[in-house]
């Protein structure tokens, strides 16, 4: 674990590069599956049945299930061991070869003659899946096969920095394997459970679990209505979800609505999925669990881990079939948003399109000079007030007029890059006036949000926003953390204490409560 990453407040291009360089050793336990994507064309129906005739053009085979999690970890820079059970069949050989070609250690992939490798073959015409054919061990797995797998699971734990349990409910990880993992000697620093039933692994006391909203609610016996505010509901259920799963933290996935991070300290952090065209994507959950584990093993704070995993999942959701997100893919994805501070004319055009689609626009502003956790908490609060969040940054000249010649610490382009990389931020722009009033008058956002110890009557923007029918919201004042305090700590050398860290090692920063989202 790179402890210098522990205090990073946001996901940036540099953070992604540094995560890849940590190259943690991660063991993945779970059901390997071979995903077949068979592509063809069809223009007539069969005579003997009301079914389309498909002329096959191409057959693609890729690792799926837990093997897809391993592939994603390897693509993100991890050293990966894979523990699973396959048959001594053609599908098993394809899986082993594909994993090995991606750099995954398959020494712990157990092959048995009595096992049929799990396969899922999709017949695709014009980018539409017509049918999926599933094969595998419907009758379960023999005790001898599971005993061999349990031995491999224990051996693969030795020296691992992190572990991911991918339980799809086939029975492969039950019984002997589960008992072996519960009672093994030596536990990785990070353990993630990605299971259809996280409660079944509560005794493992995982660091992270990744249920979807229905699975999280089901853990505590609550049903979710189709149109319910899933994020709000699972947040209220946080203590019960964590207790039922035995986890230190849960990241509840909400598909198109992003995720909610919940931990035992009361942290609530939202991520927001970037819009993507509908594709026949498969395995985004595997990508998310892999990326979340990778980021945590590298030493990132949990909220930044969730942002990292969300960005990786966004990559694969925009693709067809079962795919992986590599470090290069993630860098390219973030580069699409990083540093793209829009000019006011372009921003106005884009917001007109957002409104035409019925979306509610939230606007906030500030210097955001040295981004800290107070800022990210505040921006996530602002995002929840609507559908689209616009952040207006004070220009460098504006910051100097407001805060003195020693500020800003970071130039406007750098500040814009960091903000644009946050999943809760949709648009970033820069203004040079002392207040954002001229820009607010032009954009007329539905909500103007401001953080800090303000009152509505003290805000000069209040009259303007109310004048065109908008709403002003003052967000929580969190006094324990401010940009000025962060800058003072940076500029003031710390006295040498009794717990001096040996040269060459970074001391882990002390956790601070999320505080004021000041500029």
């Amino acid at each position: 674990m790179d402890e210098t990453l522990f205090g990073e407040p946001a996901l940036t291009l540099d953070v992604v590069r540094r995560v890849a360089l940590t190259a943690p050793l991660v063991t993945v336990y779970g059901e390997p599956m071979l995903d077949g994507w068979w592509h063809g064309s069809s223009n007539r129906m069969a005579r003997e049945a009301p079914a389309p005739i498909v002329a096959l053009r191409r057959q693609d085979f890729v690792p799926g299930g837990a093997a897809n999690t391993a592939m994603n970890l390897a693509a993100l820079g991890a050293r990966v061991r894979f523990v699973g059970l396959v048959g001594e069949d053609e599908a098993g050989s394809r899986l082993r070869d594909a994993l090995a070609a991606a750099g995954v250690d398959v020494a712990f992939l157990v092959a048995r003659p009595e096992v049929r490798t799990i396969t899922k073959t999709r017949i695709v015409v014009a980018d539409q899946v017509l049918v999926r054919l599933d094969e595998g061990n419907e009758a379960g797995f023999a005790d001898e096969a599971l005993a061999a797998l349990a031995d491999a699971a224990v051996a693969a734990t030795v020296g691992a920095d992190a572990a991911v349990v991918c339980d799809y409910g086939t029975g492969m990880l039950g019984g002997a394997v589960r008992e072996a993992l519960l009672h093994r000697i030596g536990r990785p620093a990070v353990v993630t459970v990605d299971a259809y039933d996280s409660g079944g692994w509560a005794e493992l006391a995982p660091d992270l679990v990744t249920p979807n909203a229905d699975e999280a609610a089901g853990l505590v016996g609550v049903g979710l209505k189709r149109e319910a505010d899933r994020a709000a509901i699972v947040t209220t259920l946080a203590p019960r979800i964590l207790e039922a799963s035995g986890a230190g933290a849960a990241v509840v996935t909400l598909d198109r609505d992003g995720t909610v991070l919940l931990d035992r300290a009361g942290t609530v952090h939202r991520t927001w999925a970037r819009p993507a065209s509908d594709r026949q994507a498969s395995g985004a959950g595997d990508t998310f669990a892999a990326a979340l584990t990778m980021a945590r093993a590298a030493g990132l704070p949990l909220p930044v881990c969730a942002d990292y995993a969300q960005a990786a999942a966004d990559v694969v959701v925009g693709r067809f079939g079962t795919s992986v997100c590599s470090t290069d893919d993630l860098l390219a994805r973030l580069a699409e948003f990083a540093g793209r501070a829009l000019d006011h004319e372009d921003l106005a055009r884009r917001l007109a399109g957002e409104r035409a689609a019925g979306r509610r626009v939230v606007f906030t502003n500030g210097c955001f000079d040295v981004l800290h956790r107070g800022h990210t908490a505040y921006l996530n609060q602002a995002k929840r007030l609507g559908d689209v969040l616009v952040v207006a940054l004070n220009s460098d000249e504006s910051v100097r007029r407001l805060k003195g010649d020693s500020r800003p610490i970071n130039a406007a382009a750098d500040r814009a890059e960091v903000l644009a990389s946050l999943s809760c931020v949709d648009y970033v722009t820069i203004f040079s006036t002392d207040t954002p009033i001229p820009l607010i008058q032009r954009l007329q956002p539905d909500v103007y949000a401001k953080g800090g110890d303000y009152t509505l009557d003290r805000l000069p923007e209040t009259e303007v926003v109310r004048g065109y029918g908008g709403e002003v919201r003052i967000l929580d004042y969190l006094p324990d953390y401010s940009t000025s305090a962060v800058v003072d700590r940076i500029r003031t050398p710390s006295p040498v204490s009794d717990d001096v860290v040996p040269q060459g090692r970074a001391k882990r920063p002390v956790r601070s409560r999320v505080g004021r989202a000041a500029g």
Side-chain angles (χ1 to χ4, degrees):
M1 179 180 290
D2 183 354
E3 295 190 350
T4 64
L5 287 168
F6 187 79
E8 288 291 345
L11 181 64
T12 65
L13 295 169
D14 181 60
V15 166
V16 171
R17 295 186 188 99
R18 289 163 61 195
V19 166
L21 290 174
T22 62
L25 176 57
V26 184
T27 301
V28 177
Y29 314 92
E31 293 100 324
M33 302 177 188
L34 185 68
D35 282 359
W37 294 86
W38 294 12
H39 300 266
S41 60
S42 178
N43 52 25
R44 59 197 179 98
M45 300 294 287
R47 292 182 179 180
E48 64 272 19
I53 297 173
V54 178
L56 286 176
R57 307 298 185 196
R58 189 178 81 247
Q59 296 178 338
D60 297 328
F61 295 93
V62 291
N68 186 39
T69 302
M71 293 285 286
N72 274 275
L73 279 160
L76 291 168
R79 294 169 292 137
V80 186
R81 294 171 178 165
F82 185 70
V83 182
L85 195 58
V86 295
E88 292 180 354
D89 49 23
E90 183 180 357
S93 296
R94 285 183 185 272
L95 261 174
R96 181 181 296 274
D97 292 346
L99 287 166
V104 175
D105 183 353
V106 293
F108 306 95
L109 181 59
V110 178
R112 300 281 298 190
E114 72 274 21
V115 171
R116 292 177 63 200
T117 302
I118 300 171
T119 63
K120 296 182 178 181
T121 304
R122 299 158 178 87
I123 310 299
V124 184
V125 174
D127 286 350
Q128 177 64 49
V129 176
L130 295 185
V131 65
R132 195 181 84 181
L133 309 175
D134 288 9
E135 301 175 78
N137 279 58
E138 293 81 4
F141 301 93
D143 290 343
E144 295 81 2
L146 293 179
L149 185 61
D151 291 341
V154 173
T157 298
V158 178
D161 300 305
V164 188
V165 176
C166 303
D167 185 2
Y168 290 82
T170 66
M172 189 179 294
L173 295 188
V177 179
R178 181 180 177 277
E179 288 301 310
L181 292 179
L182 288 175
H183 299 102
R184 63 190 167 181
I185 297 174
R187 174 191 171 101
V190 177
V191 175
T192 301
V193 167
D194 181 27
Y196 80 104
D197 176 19
S198 299
W201 292 92
E203 194 177 348
L204 188 63
D207 301 281
L208 297 163
V209 292
T210 57
N212 62 36
D214 288 330
E215 290 167 346
L219 272 175
V220 295
V222 174
L224 291 180
K225 295 182 180 179
R226 186 172 183 179
E227 301 302 324
D229 184 345
R230 297 176 298 166
I233 292 173
V234 297
T235 298
T236 62
L237 295 174
R240 295 170 61 188
I241 291 170
L242 294 172
E243 183 65 26
S245 65
V251 184
V252 181
T253 58
L254 309 170
D255 45 76
R256 294 183 180 184
D257 295 324
T259 71
V260 185
L261 164 67
L262 312 164
D263 71 14
R264 292 180 181 265
T267 300
V268 177
H269 176 77
R270 278 293 303 271
T271 71
W272 309 86
R274 302 281 190 182
S277 59
D278 289 334
R279 305 296 298 273
Q280 291 289 338
S282 177
D286 304 325
T287 300
F288 188 91
L292 183 71
T293 305
M294 176 75 182
R296 193 57 173 166
L300 286 177
L302 278 174
V304 187
C305 292
D307 288 335
Y308 179 98
Q310 180 67 68
D314 287 345
V315 169
V316 300
V317 165
R319 294 175 173 170
F320 190 95
T322 307
S323 62
V324 301
C325 174
S326 68
T327 297
D328 286 343
D329 292 332
L330 197 50
L331 289 170
R333 178 69 176 177
L334 293 179
E336 294 177 17
F337 304 97
R340 290 179 57 184
L342 303 177
D343 63 46
H344 297 176
E345 187 66 31
D346 191 7
L347 178 58
R349 285 195 301 269
R350 297 194 188 204
L351 292 184
E354 299 285 6
R355 287 195 175 93
R359 300 187 182 98
R360 180 175 166 90
V361 177
V362 182
F363 178 103
T364 192
N365 66 281
C367 300
F368 297 97
D369 190 5
V370 179
L371 197 74
H372 53 67
R373 294 176 189 174
H375 287 137
T376 55
Y378 155 63
L379 291 171
N380 271 283
Q381 286 183 58
K383 173 74 171 188
R384 288 195 287 269
L385 299 176
D387 304 301
V388 176
L389 177 60
V390 177
V391 179
L393 276 173
N394 290 79
S395 67
D396 294 344
E397 295 79 9
S398 175
V399 174
R400 279 191 282 271
R401 289 196 301 270
L402 291 170
K403 298 183 178 293
D405 292 339
S406 64
R407 302 280 294 276
I409 302 296
N410 296 298
D414 295 328
R415 291 182 278 133
E417 176 180 330
V418 172
L419 285 169
S421 69
L422 299 176
S423 65
C424 62
V425 176
D426 296 286
Y427 299 109
V428 178
T429 192
I430 297 172
F431 68 98
S432 57
T433 52
D434 289 340
T435 76
I437 288 177
L439 183 56
I440 290 173
Q441 290 173 323
R442 182 174 186 183
L443 301 178
Q444 296 193 3
D446 299 288
V447 181
Y448 175 64
K450 192 66 177 175
D453 55 346
Y454 296 97
T455 58
L456 292 179
D457 59 328
R458 288 178 53 205
L459 267 181
E461 295 85 356
T462 297
E463 183 178 355
V464 174
V465 175
R466 288 178 170 173
Y468 65 75
E471 179 185 357
V472 180
R473 294 287 296 270
I474 305 297
L475 302 184
D476 293 344
Y477 173 54
L478 304 168
D480 294 341
Y481 215 131
S482 71
T483 299
S484 298
V486 174
V487 172
D488 287 344
R489 287 199 297 272
I490 292 172
R491 289 175 170 168
T492 303
S494 300
V496 178
S497 65
D498 293 336
D499 58 343
V500 175
V501 179
Q503 187 173 5
R505 292 187 59 191
K507 183 179 178 181
R508 173 168 289 192
V510 177
R511 290 183 183 266
S512 298
R513 286 183 294 168
V514 172
R516 179 180 178 180

